[in-house]
Amino acid sequence: EFKLYGRAVDIQDPQLRETYRTTILARIGWETDEPNYHLFAIDIDSAAFATFADEHYALAWDPHKGPRRMELA
């Protein structure tokens, strides 16, 4: 199980959008049609991951406590 907490920020700045388009074009040889696409930046508040396979543990991160591992029963 994986959880990500935060906000998606709508990017409307023309320079940032153009930088995104040229970066994608250079990387995969394809670009979006301006202005017909949504572009978001993710502002992450915290994240968590838990596994219940052979090992039962969780990993968590937030900017105040940093990364940590917790053993699960």
Side-chain angles (χ1 to χ4, degrees):
E1 181 175 321
F2 178 75
K3 294 184 180 184
L4 194 59
Y5 300 92
R7 292 170 285 300
V9 180
D10 185 20
I11 303 298
Q12 293 297 320
D13 179 272
Q15 183 63 40
L16 289 174
R17 293 176 69 83
E18 182 60 27
T19 298
Y20 172 79
R21 291 179 74 226
T22 58
T23 301
I24 293 297
L25 180 60
R27 180 144 187 163
I28 65 172
W30 175 85
E31 64 183 332
T32 59
D33 294 326
E34 185 66 54
N36 299 318
Y37 69 98
H38 299 287
L39 181 60
F40 296 94
I42 305 299
D43 186 7
I44 299 171
D45 293 327
S46 64
F49 167 82
T51 182
F52 303 99
D54 293 336
E55 274 190 89
H56 293 14
Y57 66 94
L59 303 173
W61 172 88
D62 69 60
H64 303 291
K65 296 179 184 175
R68 58 204 178 278
R69 180 184 171 120
M70 297 153 283
E71 301 304 319
L72 303 175

